[in-house]
Amino acid sequence: SLKLSLYKKPFVESFEETPLMVAVLTYMGYGILTIFGYLRDFLRQWNIEKRHIARERDEQKDFVPLYQDFENFYNRNLYIRIRDNWNRPVCSVPGPKMDLIERSTPNYNWTFEYTGRVLKDVLNLGSYNYLGFAENKGPCADAAIEATQAYGVGVGSTRCEMGNLDIHEELEQLVARFLGVESSMAFGMGFATNSMNIPALTGKGCLILSDELNHASLVLGARLSSSTIRVFKHNNMQSLEKLLRDAIVHGQPRTHRPWKKILIVVEGIYSMEGSIVRLPEIIALKKHYKAYLYLDEAHSIGALGPNGKGVVDYFGLDPKDVDIMMGTFTKSFGAAGGYIGGKKELIDYLRCHSHSAVYATSMSPPVAQQIITSMKIIMGEDGTTLGADRLRQLHENTTYFRRKLHDMGLIIYGNEDSPVIPMMLYMPAKIGAFGRQMLKKNIGIVGVGFPATPIIESRARFCVSAAHTREMLNTSPHRIARTKFPRIQSNYSPIQRALTEE
């Protein structure tokens, strides 16, 4: 009852366990690929099969290897088979539809050649363009052009030296007001916002409690900090509380001294699972055990909440209960970079101690202007209802598309309000087959497999945008249903069976 009282509305998430038969067949698929990989390596060693990969010279064989052997084995024998599904060159604005340059490969994906043909109006279900601000016309584009004419494109210095422009100050004040915090700081790169600032906040004698599905930037930042890292199960409050209780009771290893700081690190929306953090419960635990909270809102800022202010707004919580609010401008704002918001003392400290602040070049002025204009539209300060309309449209599109996929009997993961929608494929062969078949039907999707996901949980990840029309969202499931890729009949709903038999 205490847990339920923390939520003001139902919190519904779906994570169906991998069926046993699917898991067995998936492991068999990887096993067969591995066996054939070793066979092909043997043939390459005896020059029976041509080698396409770079290799170390004979005189360097006694040196320490430059790469890990298994990673290289995985790339050349498994990933290479489906590499054509990634890094496709886009030659237009990555809006609801996009243009792709067609490629062909004469040697099974080792190299690619351009055919000279452009695939027009491919439906974009892969970009993080949640509010549709990735566009080359409209108020944001016009403001960015004016900023380019006034300031130029590059700054050529760090914020601490000659790179602190008035547009940067305006951006940081606006971000702080948008988040409802005392102060904020903007950075030119979203990944570095995490990886370079966490080491400035914690160090030896500190404990970081990290969700097992946290982004690579958070993992790297935690490792660079020299802090002790302990991982709790994804969104599992019992696992987190046990680690917190043990940390308080036992203290540091060997000495048993109290930890200098305990920092809980979580994300707002997890980009591979489509799940939303259980923030009310985490804040309750953080207050009870006197820990600090670092919230990464890369995917949730702009995409969640009645006012687009992220997961804090979504749950109706007080921003002051989150010690470090981090987010990026690369998704909902159609720009680049990241921010950290919090108390003024925190931001003043980071201005002097963050590697990303002291050593990195300042954010490009037109990028800063893109963020300012799009954020004012979301806040309604442009004098229109465009921001509110986009927020409402994103929520409607998310609900509608999730329901359509669910009604087809497909297994989808995540929270019902998350615009990130993973559809489970499981087997490695499905990733390449599904991506290629979708492109033939003029739909661009993102396939995700090991090591980005567990080895038996490969998936296609759809990202819904406010720019998608109902017609686009109606067309997509219809084409997905008719895609001929390997399926497991025993795992079907009656609807799925009917679609396949058709």
Side-chain angles (χ1 to χ4, degrees):
S1 61
L2 176 62
K3 183 186 292 187
L4 292 175
S5 67
L6 295 173
Y7 295 91
K8 299 178 181 178
K9 59 180 180 179
F11 187 78
V12 181
E13 292 194 336
S14 172
F15 297 99
E16 185 171 327
E17 188 175 348
T18 305
L20 179 61
M21 180 61 71
V22 176
V24 170
L25 291 174
T26 302
Y27 280 122
M28 286 177 61
Y30 275 106
I32 292 169
L33 286 171
T34 302
I35 291 169
F36 274 89
Y38 280 112
L39 174 61
R40 299 186 73 173
D41 277 356
F42 175 79
L43 297 177
R44 292 183 190 119
Q45 185 176 356
W46 291 94
N47 295 320
I48 299 172
E49 181 178 330
K50 184 179 179 181
R51 294 193 184 197
H52 297 276
I53 56 174
R55 52 193 174 121
E56 296 178 21
R57 297 194 299 268
D58 291 337
E59 57 267 28
Q60 291 180 321
K61 284 188 176 178
D62 292 332
F63 286 29
V64 176
L66 290 174
Y67 51 81
Q68 293 186 11
D69 190 54
F70 180 75
E71 288 181 7
N72 196 55
F73 174 86
Y74 183 86
N75 285 336
R76 68 179 177 264
N77 292 306
L78 281 76
Y79 167 70
I80 201 72
R81 294 170 176 265
I82 54 176
R83 192 162 71 104
D84 56 302
N85 286 279
W86 290 277
N87 307 316
R88 289 170 176 152
V90 179
C91 57
S92 68
V93 176
K97 290 189 175 182
M98 58 185 175
D99 298 340
L100 299 179
I101 300 176
E102 188 180 58
R103 301 178 300 179
S104 64
T105 174
N107 48 19
Y108 304 100
N109 294 339
W110 287 103
T111 60
F112 293 101
E113 298 173 352
Y114 297 131
T115 64
R117 181 168 167 259
V118 175
L119 304 177
K120 293 283 188 179
D121 295 329
V122 176
L123 181 59
N124 183 1
L125 288 176
S127 295
Y128 307 129
N129 185 26
Y130 297 131
L131 293 180
F133 284 116
E135 50 195 1
N136 59 358
K137 57 185 178 181
C140 292
D142 295 341
I145 291 170
E146 291 176 8
T148 304
Q149 294 171 342
Y151 295 95
V153 175
V155 179
S157 183
T158 67
R159 293 286 298 276
C160 298
E161 295 170 343
M162 299 294 291
N164 190 32
L165 305 181
D166 58 346
I167 197 171
H168 295 138
E169 300 280 352
E170 180 187 355
L171 171 61
E172 291 175 346
Q173 291 170 13
L174 180 65
V175 170
R177 190 153 50 85
F178 180 64
L179 297 175
V181 295
E182 292 179 11
S183 185
S184 76
M185 186 174 183
F187 303 88
M189 181 182 178
F191 191 97
T193 305
N194 279 331
S195 61
M196 294 290 100
N197 282 299
I198 293 178
L201 296 170
T202 63
K204 287 186 177 179
C206 299
L207 175 65
I208 293 177
L209 302 179
S210 175
D211 189 290
E212 66 178 347
L213 297 182
N214 274 343
H215 189 262
S217 59
L218 293 169
V219 174
L220 178 61
R223 289 175 177 172
L224 291 174
S225 70
S226 300
S227 304
T228 300
I229 305 168
R230 290 176 186 163
V231 178
F232 61 92
K233 294 178 182 178
H234 175 56
N235 249 354
N236 188 313
M237 296 304 105
Q238 290 77 20
S239 175
L240 174 59
E241 185 170 17
K242 183 179 186 304
L243 290 178
L244 281 166
R245 191 185 299 114
D246 290 346
I248 298 298
V249 171
H250 300 296
Q252 299 183 42
R254 293 190 301 275
T255 64
H256 299 293
R257 293 176 182 171
W259 295 99
K260 295 178 182 178
K261 296 175 194 171
I262 299 177
L263 181 67
I264 303 170
V265 180
V266 293
E267 296 184 43
I269 292 178
Y270 290 84
S271 60
M272 291 298 171
E273 306 297 315
S275 57
I276 297 176
V277 65
R278 294 180 176 273
L279 193 60
E281 296 176 63
I282 288 180
I283 287 178
L285 288 174
K286 166 234 167 187
K287 288 180 177 179
H288 182 73
Y289 290 100
K290 304 295 188 294
Y292 294 98
L293 176 59
Y294 186 108
L295 175 63
D296 178 349
E297 292 219 74
H299 288 267
S300 53
I301 192 69
L304 282 182
N307 304 299
K309 297 182 180 180
V311 71
V312 176
D313 184 33
Y314 175 78
F315 287 112
L317 303 171
D318 187 351
K320 294 181 177 61
D321 288 335
V322 180
D323 302 287
I324 304 107
M325 297 186 71
M326 178 272 171
T328 63
F329 302 121
T330 53
K331 282 86 178 175
S332 295
F333 304 96
Y339 67 82
I340 282 186
K343 292 184 178 178
K344 188 176 183 302
E345 294 86 351
L346 167 71
I347 304 304
D348 290 344
Y349 173 83
L350 288 176
R351 290 190 196 279
C352 299
H353 294 84
S354 167
H355 285 76
S356 192
V358 177
Y359 298 109
T361 303
S362 302
M363 180 183 289
S364 176
V367 172
Q369 186 60 58
Q370 164 78 18
I371 301 164
I372 291 171
T373 308
S374 59
M375 192 172 289
K376 285 184 176 178
I377 291 174
I378 295 171
M379 297 170 73
E381 294 186 2
D382 63 330
T384 71
T385 61
L386 181 59
D389 292 342
R390 293 196 184 203
L391 289 169
R392 185 184 65 255
Q393 190 63 50
L394 175 62
H395 178 69
E396 290 177 1
N397 286 352
T398 297
T399 304
Y400 182 77
F401 195 64
R402 277 187 171 273
R403 189 188 306 123
K404 290 283 285 186
L405 294 178
H406 185 268
D407 289 346
M408 287 166 55
L410 298 170
I411 300 175
I412 57 173
Y413 273 10
N415 192 285
E416 61 180 8
D417 291 326
S418 169
V420 179
I421 307 174
M423 185 187 82
M424 304 311 293
L425 299 176
Y426 298 113
M427 299 183 197
K430 285 187 181 183
I431 304 173
F434 185 69
R436 294 178 192 124
Q437 289 297 317
M438 284 288 96
L439 188 60
K440 287 180 181 178
K441 300 175 188 296
N442 233 37
I443 298 177
I445 61 101
V446 173
V448 188
F450 180 81
T453 66
I455 197 165
I456 61 170
E457 293 184 8
S458 299
R459 62 199 68 180
R461 185 182 61 183
F462 304 113
C463 292
V464 178
S465 169
H468 287 133
T469 64
R470 188 57 57 90
E471 182 184 358
M472 295 175 186
L473 297 180
N474 278 330
T475 302
S476 304
H478 180 76
R479 293 177 181 173
I480 291 169
R482 283 160 173 74
T483 302
K484 302 301 181 183
F485 62 94
R487 295 176 182 249
I488 300 300
Q489 296 288 340
S490 61
N491 194 38
Y492 275 9
S493 68
I495 296 175
Q496 267 183 300
R497 291 196 190 97
L499 288 168
T500 308
E501 289 164 5
E502 178 185 319

